[in-house]
Amino acid sequence: GTPILVDEGVAEYARQHLPPHEGRIRRVGRFRPAGMGHEITISQLLLPAGHEDNLSDADIVLYEQAWDSFAAGNWQAALDQLEEIPATDRVREYLRIYITANNCEPPPTWSGTIPLQLK
């Protein structure tokens, strides 16, 4: 549900060179794609603040805080933070569904990374 996802290198370049009035970057999270032996951090390219149906800068900060809580294994805090973000945010919804599908508890082998089962 997110039109433009980028890897760490592109996200870092955009953070350094993309003016906020042209676009913003939000860290989505850390994932291990199916068939890959390593983890990657994925970010999302967003429209500038103020566009209709777009997240505010505060929403972006709150999502990234929720991800940090999630990665640290504090899934209830992550859920509480996610509830403050607009329900129209598809990334927020993906993480919320992932947490609830796992009964709001990280598995015993939790490393802060979501393993993706499909390519």
Side-chain angles (χ1 to χ4, degrees):
T2 55
I4 303 174
L5 296 174
V6 298
D7 67 10
E8 293 171 78
V10 173
E12 187 56 35
Y13 183 87
R15 282 186 190 95
Q16 292 177 13
H17 300 285
L18 182 67
H21 67 274
E22 291 182 12
R24 299 168 299 153
I25 293 288
R26 166 177 63 169
R27 179 174 42 107
V28 172
R30 192 126 181 99
F31 299 87
R32 183 177 309 107
M36 290 182 71
H38 63 280
E39 303 163 353
I40 58 173
T41 298
I42 299 294
S43 294
Q44 178 184 14
L45 178 62
L46 295 166
L47 292 170
H51 282 262
E52 190 175 323
D53 295 330
N54 201 16
L55 297 174
S56 69
D57 289 340
D59 293 332
I60 293 170
V61 169
L62 192 55
Y63 174 83
E64 290 187 354
Q65 290 171 345
W67 176 269
D68 290 341
S69 295
F70 170 75
N74 191 348
W75 287 17
Q76 188 56 57
L79 275 176
D80 293 343
Q81 291 162 323
L82 291 170
E83 289 303 317
E84 296 182 40
I85 300 168
T88 55
D89 178 19
R90 302 290 298 268
V91 172
R92 166 237 189 228
E93 199 54 18
Y94 173 83
L95 187 55
R96 194 187 65 72
I97 290 169
Y98 185 87
I99 292 170
T100 56
N102 286 283
N103 297 316
C104 301
E105 291 290 327
T109 59
W110 180 243
S111 68
T113 300
I114 293 178
L116 300 175
Q117 305 301 320
L118 303 172
K119 289 186 179 185

